[in-house]
Amino acid sequence: MNGMASDHNTSSQEEYLPHYLQKEDPFASKLSREADIVAGFYLTVIGILSTLGNGYVIFMSSKRKKKLRPAEIMTVNLAVCDLGISVVGKPFSIISFFSHRWVFGWMGCRWYGWAGFFFGCGSLITMTAVSLDRYLKICHLSYGTWLKRHHAFICLAIIWAYATFWATVPFAGVGSYAPEPFGTSCTLDWWLAQASVAGQAFILSILFFCLLFPTAVIVFSYVKIILKVKSSTKEVAHYDTRIQNSHILEMKLTKVAMLICAGFLIAWIPYAVVSVWSAFGQPDSVPIQFSVVPTLLAKSAAMYNPIIYQVIDCKFACCRSGGLKTLQKKSSLKKSR
């Protein structure tokens, strides 16, 4: 019986054809022209805001590059990844949505899929490194003070090497990049899991090393930080002003990192769920119209981070100016006395 079941499973895998091989033209849009135009306008707005916002973050950071802390260096790297997604990837999909088909062929499809996976993986691993930096600075101060700027640059080299490795592995024949079911975009070939055991092993490796493991590290780090902050708030109040100011700055960087990670995961988790369902669920069980929404939501992730930087910076500036005013009032009272 087991042999018959395995033969049936093997035969079903051999018989399965992914959506891009079932029709002669895999790059024709499966959506209405009106839907493609709306998606094209949406991505145009997202792309412009993301390019301007992340470009501004990089420009402002370059003016004080020698004063950047390790966590700030990581957030600049995150802005570089987001800018890369906006500049390298979005023009391909915008042109294709307005053209009502993917117009760049298989070479353009593989390049677009590689670029999206490369910068997306780089963003997630960067946020993982930021969360570990925050965890050490808040929860293990003896280790946190050991982290310096040159450690951040070493970490950047590891991040880029990690993203390059996993994005390039499909070109070695292990996996592939393929058009999305709706035809006007390309992504990792999740449908390989329906075709063979080797495809399943590849997809599971991608899921673990490029999604589940980094996400678990991020969640662990920030849960520990929240617990530590709750228990140490009263202790910090007894320290002198210099230590309190340093603690406020560290908490500001931690808030930025937490919001960035939350925005990224909220944008990408629906897409990851749909992709996993496409890989391991019933073949072609995800409706084409339904698969477009998570894709567009994931493409908007690069826009959130500059907004988060500005909101936190404004709040921090207001608190800092309020603190300065109170100090000035105290000094004037002392002088009058």
Side-chain angles (χ1 to χ4, degrees):
M1 292 293 290
N2 293 332
M4 292 175 63
S6 62
D7 292 340
H8 177 72
N9 187 28
T10 304
S11 62
S12 64
Q13 288 180 340
E14 291 176 353
E15 291 172 359
Y16 173 71
L17 284 176
H19 62 87
Y20 53 86
L21 295 178
Q22 293 175 2
K23 297 182 180 180
E24 294 183 359
D25 188 1
F27 299 123
S29 177
K30 312 304 186 296
L31 304 174
S32 65
R33 186 171 293 275
E34 292 77 13
D36 277 336
I37 291 174
V38 171
F41 275 115
Y42 169 80
L43 289 181
T44 301
V45 173
I46 294 296
I48 292 172
L49 293 177
S50 175
T51 302
L52 294 176
N54 288 291
Y56 175 77
V57 170
I58 295 170
F59 173 73
M60 295 303 294
S61 299
S62 66
K63 297 176 107 178
R64 51 184 295 268
K65 56 187 176 182
K66 293 183 179 180
K67 297 180 180 180
L68 293 176
R69 301 160 71 92
E72 292 174 310
I73 293 173
M74 291 296 174
T75 54
V76 172
N77 188 65
L78 188 59
V80 171
C81 291
D82 292 339
L83 186 63
I85 292 175
S86 302
V87 173
V88 176
K90 281 189 174 61
F92 285 80
S93 55
I94 291 170
I95 293 171
S96 296
F97 273 116
F98 283 127
S99 301
H100 197 48
R101 62 173 289 107
W102 179 263
V103 296
F104 302 100
W106 277 104
M107 287 295 293
C109 181
R110 293 187 180 99
W111 160 251
Y112 178 85
W114 180 90
F117 188 29
F118 172 73
F119 288 115
C121 182
S123 295
L124 183 58
I125 303 305
T126 300
M127 286 186 286
T128 305
V130 171
S131 68
L132 286 174
D133 173 79
R134 297 293 85 210
Y135 170 69
L136 292 174
K137 287 286 177 68
I138 303 297
C139 300
H140 299 281
L141 192 58
S142 57
Y143 294 104
T145 54
W146 176 76
L147 294 173
K148 304 299 180 184
R149 282 170 57 92
H150 65 277
H151 295 114
F153 290 113
I154 294 172
C155 191
L156 290 184
I158 296 172
I159 289 169
W160 288 111
Y162 192 91
T164 302
F165 172 78
W166 285 108
T168 311
V169 161
F171 293 128
V174 181
S176 182
Y177 294 101
E180 298 266 17
F182 49 88
T184 47
S185 181
C186 292
T187 184
L188 192 71
D189 193 349
W190 300 99
W191 302 272
L192 285 173
Q194 300 281 357
S196 66
V197 176
Q200 292 177 358
F202 168 71
I203 296 300
L204 287 173
S205 300
I206 290 290
L207 285 173
F208 179 78
F209 289 104
C210 299
L211 179 64
L212 297 178
F213 178 69
T215 303
V217 173
I218 291 171
V219 172
F220 168 81
S221 298
Y222 289 123
V223 167
K224 286 290 188 179
I225 288 171
I226 291 170
L227 295 176
K228 180 68 175 179
V229 169
K230 284 185 176 180
S231 63
S232 62
T233 303
K234 294 180 180 179
E235 297 177 7
V236 176
H238 298 292
Y239 295 153
D240 59 32
T241 305
R242 185 178 60 84
I243 296 177
Q244 288 181 2
N245 291 338
S246 176
H247 179 76
I248 291 172
L249 180 57
E250 293 294 344
M251 290 310 302
K252 175 213 169 185
L253 295 173
T254 303
K255 287 178 182 179
V256 170
M258 290 179 70
L259 288 174
I260 288 171
C261 292
F264 184 90
L265 294 176
I266 290 171
W268 278 96
I269 282 178
Y271 178 79
V273 170
V274 171
S275 299
V276 171
W277 184 261
S278 300
F280 298 101
Q282 292 297 320
D284 305 324
S285 58
V286 179
I288 292 176
Q289 291 77 7
F290 181 75
S291 67
V292 180
V293 178
T295 302
L296 295 178
L297 180 63
K299 292 179 187 297
S300 68
M303 181 188 68
Y304 304 146
N305 297 340
I307 298 173
I308 293 171
Y309 300 147
Q310 295 305 313
V311 170
I312 296 294
D313 278 339
C314 288
K315 287 185 177 179
F316 185 69
C318 290
C319 293
R320 188 169 51 191
S321 63
L324 287 173
K325 287 178 181 178
T326 54
L327 287 175
Q328 290 172 355
K329 287 180 180 178
K330 287 181 179 179
S331 61
S332 62
L333 284 172
K334 287 182 179 179
K335 287 180 181 178
S336 64
R337 287 174 184 173

PDB file of all heavy atoms in Angstrom, residues 258-272:
ATOM      1  N   MET A 258      11.643  48.656  16.043  1.00  0.00           N
ATOM      2  CA  MET A 258      10.433  47.848  16.246  1.00  0.00           C
ATOM      3  C   MET A 258       9.352  48.196  15.234  1.00  0.00           C
ATOM      4  O   MET A 258       8.704  47.309  14.662  1.00  0.00           O
ATOM      5  CB  MET A 258       9.911  48.052  17.677  1.00  0.00           C
ATOM      6  CG  MET A 258      10.789  47.438  18.745  1.00  0.00           C
ATOM      7  SD  MET A 258      10.166  47.728  20.414  1.00  0.00           S
ATOM      8  CE  MET A 258       8.710  46.705  20.427  1.00  0.00           C
ATOM      9  N   LEU A 259       9.150  49.490  14.983  1.00  0.00           N
ATOM     10  CA  LEU A 259       8.130  49.903  14.019  1.00  0.00           C
ATOM     11  C   LEU A 259       8.493  49.473  12.604  1.00  0.00           C
ATOM     12  O   LEU A 259       7.636  49.056  11.821  1.00  0.00           O
ATOM     13  CB  LEU A 259       7.936  51.417  14.084  1.00  0.00           C
ATOM     14  CG  LEU A 259       7.222  51.941  15.329  1.00  0.00           C
ATOM     15  CD1 LEU A 259       7.232  53.459  15.349  1.00  0.00           C
ATOM     16  CD2 LEU A 259       5.783  51.425  15.386  1.00  0.00           C
ATOM     17  N   ILE A 260       9.781  49.573  12.260  1.00  0.00           N
ATOM     18  CA  ILE A 260      10.229  49.154  10.934  1.00  0.00           C
ATOM     19  C   ILE A 260       9.977  47.659  10.735  1.00  0.00           C
ATOM     20  O   ILE A 260       9.451  47.232   9.699  1.00  0.00           O
ATOM     21  CB  ILE A 260      11.720  49.484  10.742  1.00  0.00           C
ATOM     22  CG1 ILE A 260      11.903  50.991  10.578  1.00  0.00           C
ATOM     23  CG2 ILE A 260      12.289  48.753   9.531  1.00  0.00           C
ATOM     24  CD1 ILE A 260      13.350  51.422  10.598  1.00  0.00           C
ATOM     25  N   CYS A 261      10.347  46.862  11.730  1.00  0.00           N
ATOM     26  CA  CYS A 261      10.141  45.412  11.626  1.00  0.00           C
ATOM     27  C   CYS A 261       8.659  45.075  11.545  1.00  0.00           C
ATOM     28  O   CYS A 261       8.250  44.212  10.756  1.00  0.00           O
ATOM     29  CB  CYS A 261      10.775  44.706  12.822  1.00  0.00           C
ATOM     30  SG  CYS A 261      12.580  44.782  12.831  1.00  0.00           S
ATOM     31  N   ALA A 262       7.844  45.753  12.347  1.00  0.00           N
ATOM     32  CA  ALA A 262       6.402  45.502  12.317  1.00  0.00           C
ATOM     33  C   ALA A 262       5.818  45.839  10.949  1.00  0.00           C
ATOM     34  O   ALA A 262       5.028  45.063  10.378  1.00  0.00           O
ATOM     35  CB  ALA A 262       5.708  46.308  13.412  1.00  0.00           C
ATOM     36  N   GLY A 263       6.206  46.997  10.393  1.00  0.00           N
ATOM     37  CA  GLY A 263       5.703  47.380   9.076  1.00  0.00           C
ATOM     38  C   GLY A 263       6.126  46.407   7.993  1.00  0.00           C
ATOM     39  O   GLY A 263       5.327  46.040   7.114  1.00  0.00           O
ATOM     40  N   PHE A 264       7.375  45.967   8.054  1.00  0.00           N
ATOM     41  CA  PHE A 264       7.873  45.019   7.045  1.00  0.00           C
ATOM     42  C   PHE A 264       7.123  43.689   7.118  1.00  0.00           C
ATOM     43  O   PHE A 264       6.692  43.152   6.102  1.00  0.00           O
ATOM     44  CB  PHE A 264       9.372  44.794   7.262  1.00  0.00           C
ATOM     45  CG  PHE A 264      10.016  43.915   6.226  1.00  0.00           C
ATOM     46  CD1 PHE A 264      10.560  44.472   5.079  1.00  0.00           C
ATOM     47  CD2 PHE A 264      10.087  42.534   6.389  1.00  0.00           C
ATOM     48  CE1 PHE A 264      11.166  43.668   4.114  1.00  0.00           C
ATOM     49  CE2 PHE A 264      10.680  41.732   5.440  1.00  0.00           C
ATOM     50  CZ  PHE A 264      11.230  42.301   4.300  1.00  0.00           C
ATOM     51  N   LEU A 265       6.968  43.168   8.330  1.00  0.00           N
ATOM     52  CA  LEU A 265       6.312  41.865   8.481  1.00  0.00           C
ATOM     53  C   LEU A 265       4.828  41.945   8.124  1.00  0.00           C
ATOM     54  O   LEU A 265       4.288  41.018   7.500  1.00  0.00           O
ATOM     55  CB  LEU A 265       6.492  41.362   9.912  1.00  0.00           C
ATOM     56  CG  LEU A 265       7.942  41.026  10.308  1.00  0.00           C
ATOM     57  CD1 LEU A 265       8.013  40.625  11.776  1.00  0.00           C
ATOM     58  CD2 LEU A 265       8.505  39.913   9.428  1.00  0.00           C
ATOM     59  N   ILE A 266       4.163  43.044   8.497  1.00  0.00           N
ATOM     60  CA  ILE A 266       2.745  43.194   8.137  1.00  0.00           C
ATOM     61  C   ILE A 266       2.579  43.229   6.620  1.00  0.00           C
ATOM     62  O   ILE A 266       1.629  42.670   6.060  1.00  0.00           O
ATOM     63  CB  ILE A 266       2.169  44.470   8.787  1.00  0.00           C
ATOM     64  CG1 ILE A 266       2.051  44.280  10.295  1.00  0.00           C
ATOM     65  CG2 ILE A 266       0.808  44.819   8.195  1.00  0.00           C
ATOM     66  CD1 ILE A 266       1.697  45.543  11.056  1.00  0.00           C
ATOM     67  N   ALA A 267       3.537  43.879   5.932  1.00  0.00           N
ATOM     68  CA  ALA A 267       3.453  43.971   4.475  1.00  0.00           C
ATOM     69  C   ALA A 267       3.758  42.642   3.789  1.00  0.00           C
ATOM     70  O   ALA A 267       3.146  42.314   2.764  1.00  0.00           O
ATOM     71  CB  ALA A 267       4.410  45.057   3.971  1.00  0.00           C
ATOM     72  N   TRP A 268       4.681  41.867   4.353  1.00  0.00           N
ATOM     73  CA  TRP A 268       5.159  40.682   3.648  1.00  0.00           C
ATOM     74  C   TRP A 268       4.506  39.372   4.079  1.00  0.00           C
ATOM     75  O   TRP A 268       4.501  38.401   3.310  1.00  0.00           O
ATOM     76  CB  TRP A 268       6.677  40.556   3.812  1.00  0.00           C
ATOM     77  CG  TRP A 268       7.439  41.404   2.861  1.00  0.00           C
ATOM     78  CD1 TRP A 268       7.957  42.644   3.083  1.00  0.00           C
ATOM     79  CD2 TRP A 268       7.765  41.091   1.496  1.00  0.00           C
ATOM     80  NE1 TRP A 268       8.583  43.125   1.965  1.00  0.00           N
ATOM     81  CE2 TRP A 268       8.486  42.194   0.979  1.00  0.00           C
ATOM     82  CE3 TRP A 268       7.518  39.990   0.680  1.00  0.00           C
ATOM     83  CZ2 TRP A 268       8.959  42.215  -0.339  1.00  0.00           C
ATOM     84  CZ3 TRP A 268       7.994  40.017  -0.622  1.00  0.00           C
ATOM     85  CH2 TRP A 268       8.702  41.120  -1.116  1.00  0.00           C
ATOM     86  N   ILE A 269       3.960  39.306   5.291  1.00  0.00           N
ATOM     87  CA  ILE A 269       3.399  38.032   5.757  1.00  0.00           C
ATOM     88  C   ILE A 269       2.223  37.551   4.901  1.00  0.00           C
ATOM     89  O   ILE A 269       2.145  36.365   4.570  1.00  0.00           O
ATOM     90  CB  ILE A 269       3.013  38.135   7.252  1.00  0.00           C
ATOM     91  CG1 ILE A 269       4.278  38.022   8.113  1.00  0.00           C
ATOM     92  CG2 ILE A 269       2.011  37.058   7.647  1.00  0.00           C
ATOM     93  CD1 ILE A 269       4.052  38.160   9.593  1.00  0.00           C
ATOM     94  N   PRO A 270       1.264  38.425   4.481  1.00  0.00           N
ATOM     95  CA  PRO A 270       0.206  37.931   3.583  1.00  0.00           C
ATOM     96  C   PRO A 270       0.755  37.329   2.294  1.00  0.00           C
ATOM     97  O   PRO A 270       0.266  36.297   1.826  1.00  0.00           O
ATOM     98  CB  PRO A 270      -0.643  39.178   3.310  1.00  0.00           C
ATOM     99  CG  PRO A 270      -0.404  40.055   4.488  1.00  0.00           C
ATOM    100  CD  PRO A 270       1.008  39.831   4.877  1.00  0.00           C
ATOM    101  N   TYR A 271       1.791  37.971   1.734  1.00  0.00           N
ATOM    102  CA  TYR A 271       2.399  37.430   0.512  1.00  0.00           C
ATOM    103  C   TYR A 271       3.062  36.084   0.793  1.00  0.00           C
ATOM    104  O   TYR A 271       2.973  35.152  -0.021  1.00  0.00           O
ATOM    105  CB  TYR A 271       3.425  38.412  -0.036  1.00  0.00           C
ATOM    106  CG  TYR A 271       4.133  37.917  -1.279  1.00  0.00           C
ATOM    107  CD1 TYR A 271       3.505  37.980  -2.516  1.00  0.00           C
ATOM    108  CD2 TYR A 271       5.417  37.392  -1.214  1.00  0.00           C
ATOM    109  CE1 TYR A 271       4.138  37.522  -3.654  1.00  0.00           C
ATOM    110  CE2 TYR A 271       6.057  36.929  -2.346  1.00  0.00           C
ATOM    111  CZ  TYR A 271       5.409  36.997  -3.560  1.00  0.00           C
ATOM    112  OH  TYR A 271       6.036  36.533  -4.693  1.00  0.00           O
ATOM    113  N   ALA A 272       3.728  35.964   1.951  1.00  0.00           N
ATOM    114  CA  ALA A 272       4.375  34.705   2.309  1.00  0.00           C
ATOM    115  C   ALA A 272       3.344  33.592   2.494  1.00  0.00           C
ATOM    116  O   ALA A 272       3.560  32.448   2.062  1.00  0.00           O
ATOM    117  CB  ALA A 272       5.196  34.880   3.588  1.00  0.00           C
TER     118      ALA A 272
END
